[in-house]
Every structure is written in structure tokens, then in C-alpha cells.
Amino acid sequence: MGKFNLSSIEDYVANHLRMFILSVAGLVIFVGIIAVSVFFIAVHGEEQTMVPDVVGKELTSALMELQVKELYPRLQLRYSQTSRDKGIILEQEPKPGTIVKAGRRIRLVVSQGVILNKVENFVTRNIDEVRMEIHAINAASGGPPLLSIKEPIMYEFSSENPGVILEQKPVSGTDISGPTSLEFVVSRGRENRMVTVPQLSGLSMSAALTLISSSGINFRFTARERSGNERGETIVEQTPAANTSVSINTPVQLTVTNPPSLASSEVFGIFSYTIPQNPYPLIVRLETQLPSGERRLLFTANFPGGLFTVPYRVPSGSLLILSMLNRELYRETVERN
């Protein structure tokens, strides 16, 4: 029987242990190399690319150029000033030449063409309504104004109500291929149109203002102290007298009495402002914004222009705001003296 060799066994175990340690170390190094590689790939991110210039190109061509660059579109539609722009790229973001990562979304604004392609029929419509409609159309187009009204407008007397459009150029149905100027002939109403003066004397200030608002008369207010048994804030004089027939532009002179007393925080007076003469009466509004911020309507009426006067009683520090056709003309703050 051979002699047991302890030294050989120890060498065998040592060699295998050495191999095991080297294998584990190699595996650790390999895993580390892979982890480092993944880390640097993640840090480097996607491949970078340059944004192409697609403004002015058709949508299909623009999309193909973005696809080549591995970029993706985010589309927005907008009306433009000419039908020839339909399907053309109007804007892009980011700008051409910008360096971005592949896969980035590029915002493209694409033309839908014009919001209108033909001139509509404006005859028999009110010029003020048409103005607002054209403003809305131009706002919706998002570009230069598509439609405009040629100034000054031609006005002539007619049997139609004041402000009604009698004629237009271009005529209804004309193709719109770009910015278009509209020429209108507008009614002034009947020449020397007459109105009947209502009974205003004896009414309270608020009742008189309500009646004036619906009667269509021109008016002119003054104020004075009470006399005898006269009530405060009351119409005590009017010229011409009630039931008189006058031209629509003839001012009816009205005298209102001052209030018998006022709180220390109130102010009473006659608002006065000269409005430019209009070809026919337009809607005028007088509002007040109280010191609290609340806004109230004091008076509204159709007014032809000239000296506009309205009595008021409001808290001291209130703001009086005059507007015509929703366009502010004047404002002032009134204080108690």
C-alpha cells in the first residue's frame, strides 16, 4: 500500500483555491466593466442632431425632414392671411440650427388657410356689429388683419335705420385671396328725423334718466338749489315742453335740483364731457367704479355727439367712466369738497 502524500494534497487544494479566487476576481472585474459602460451610455444620452429649417415648406416635406433627423412633430393649426398658405409651415420651435437630442418633439405651426374664402353679404347689417365681427375674424386668424374697413366711411340719408349698411365693395361672393379692404355706404337715417319730447318735468332724477334712455332724444342737464317746495334730485324745468316735436339732434334742456342733504361720504354733480360728433347716434355708457371696486351702470343712451351731461350721486372717491361702443373715452375720480 502506497504512502499517503500530504504535501501533494495541500498543493492541489492551493491550486484550486487560487483558480477560484482568480475566477471570482475576473467575474467582478467583468461585471464592473459592464456597469461602467452602461453608466457612460446613460450619461451620454441619445444621439444629438441639428433641427432642420422647415418654415415655408409643405407639411409632408417637413415631416420627412424631421423623420430623417429622428425628430417628432407637435402640430398646431392657425388661420393665415392667404389661402395659398394652406398646409405650409408658418413657425417652428426650436429654431433651425438648434442642436437637440434625437427623439425631441418640434412644435410646428401649420396654416389652415384663410378663415374666410369669400366676402359675405354685409348689406342691411349694422355697421357697429360688422366692426366687431371683423375684429373677431382678424383675431382668430392669428396673423395680419384679413379684413379691414376703409375709412372714412361714406354716410347718406335714407329710410333705413341709422347705421345700416346700404352698399358694399367688394360685393358679396368675391373670392378672398389676401388682406381685403371693405368699402361701405352707411345710412344716417331719415334727414331731419323728428322725435317727440316726453314729459320729464316733475320726474325724479333716476326716473328721468330711464325715460331719456329709451326715448331717443338729445339732452342737456344743469343743476341748481331747490326753491320753495321743490323736491331734491327732481327735474323742475324742461325746454322744449313735453309733446313738442323736434329734430333728433335738438338738445332738450333739463334742470335738476340738488339733493336736500348728502352724507359726508357722498358727492352730487353733473358729469360733463364733449364727445366728437357722430354721423348718427351711437350707444354711450356712463359707469361708476365705487371705492370698494364694485362697478355700476349709471346711464346709457344713444347719443349723436357734442356736450354729454348726466347728473350723478355716488360715494366720494368713485371713478366715473364714459365709453362709446364699448370703447372707453374718458374717466375721472370725483371727491367731496
Side-chain angles (χ1 to χ4, degrees):
M1 186 173 185
K3 185 177 178 180
F4 181 79
N5 192 336
L6 181 60
S7 175
S8 297
I9 295 175
E10 290 176 348
D11 291 339
Y12 176 82
V13 172
N15 288 333
H16 279 74
L17 181 60
R18 189 179 302 109
M19 292 293 295
F20 175 77
I21 293 173
L22 290 174
S23 298
V24 171
L27 180 60
V28 170
I29 293 172
F30 178 75
V31 171
I33 292 173
I34 292 177
V36 170
S37 300
V38 170
F39 172 78
F40 279 105
I41 290 173
V43 169
H44 181 268
E46 298 89 344
E47 181 182 353
Q48 292 185 324
T49 186
M50 180 182 292
V51 178
D53 185 359
V54 296
V55 172
K57 298 182 179 180
E58 292 186 352
L59 177 59
T60 52
S61 299
L63 295 180
M64 291 181 65
E65 288 196 36
L66 293 181
Q67 184 177 357
V68 170
K69 297 287 187 176
E70 297 185 14
L71 300 172
Y72 300 96
R74 186 172 74 248
L75 301 181
Q76 294 181 357
L77 300 178
R78 177 191 295 173
Y79 290 107
S80 58
Q81 62 177 331
T82 170
S83 58
R84 294 188 295 271
D85 285 344
K86 189 171 184 179
I88 300 298
I89 307 301
L90 303 176
E91 298 177 12
Q92 71 175 79
E93 182 65 33
K95 296 183 181 301
T98 304
I99 303 299
V100 299
K101 292 181 180 179
R104 170 76 179 269
R105 288 198 175 274
I106 307 300
R107 183 178 69 88
L108 302 179
V109 178
V110 186
S111 170
Q112 285 186 276
V114 294
I115 193 170
L116 294 175
N117 55 16
K118 291 183 182 297
V119 175
E120 66 174 282
N121 185 18
F122 296 107
V123 174
T124 74
R125 296 185 56 187
N126 183 276
I127 182 64
D128 302 320
E129 295 176 357
V130 171
R131 284 186 192 277
M132 291 187 288
E133 181 175 313
I134 289 176
H135 176 75
I137 289 172
N138 290 334
S141 72
L146 178 62
L147 296 177
S148 61
I149 298 176
K150 184 177 179 180
E151 301 286 352
I153 293 176
M154 296 286 293
Y155 290 92
E156 65 180 42
F157 294 107
S158 79
S159 59
E160 296 290 343
N161 290 330
V164 170
I165 296 172
L166 304 174
E167 300 176 22
Q168 73 175 71
K169 186 189 296 184
V171 298
S172 172
T174 302
D175 290 334
I176 295 177
S177 59
T180 301
S181 178
L182 301 169
E183 297 181 38
F184 292 133
V185 177
V186 178
S187 171
R188 288 181 180 268
R190 295 187 302 276
E191 190 171 7
N192 298 321
R193 187 157 63 100
M194 308 296 284
V195 292
T196 301
V197 178
Q199 177 66 52
L200 296 168
S201 183
L203 295 182
S204 67
M205 184 176 77
S206 59
L209 289 176
T210 300
L211 183 54
I212 291 170
S213 180
S214 61
S215 67
I217 64 169
N218 198 342
F219 51 90
R220 193 76 50 81
F221 277 95
T222 58
R224 66 166 173 79
E225 295 294 338
R226 293 181 302 140
S227 175
N229 295 325
E230 291 176 342
R231 292 174 297 171
E233 296 181 75
T234 301
I235 308 300
V236 291
E237 298 172 10
Q238 74 171 74
T239 304
N243 300 317
T244 302
S245 184
V246 298
S247 168
I248 192 170
N249 291 325
T250 301
V252 177
Q253 305 291 336
L254 301 166
T255 302
V256 61
T257 53
N258 293 336
S261 62
L262 283 173
S264 59
S265 59
E266 288 184 311
V267 58
F268 174 85
I270 302 291
F271 175 85
S272 179
Y273 183 81
T274 301
I275 297 176
Q277 288 290 339
N278 300 306
Y280 59 90
L282 299 176
I283 297 176
V284 177
R285 294 166 59 92
L286 181 63
E287 299 174 282
T288 180
Q289 183 173 311
L290 306 181
S292 63
E294 179 186 354
R295 192 154 171 160
R296 295 178 183 173
L297 175 65
L298 295 179
F299 178 70
T300 183
N302 290 324
F303 193 73
L307 185 61
F308 180 82
T309 54
V310 175
Y312 63 85
R313 180 176 180 174
V314 296
S316 181
S318 296
L319 186 65
L320 299 181
I321 305 168
L322 178 69
S323 59
M324 182 173 65
L325 293 177
N326 297 319
R327 180 173 63 89
E328 185 174 314
L329 299 178
Y330 177 74
R331 58 171 55 198
E332 70 171 279
T333 301
V334 291
E335 302 278 1
R336 181 73 178 268
N337 293 330

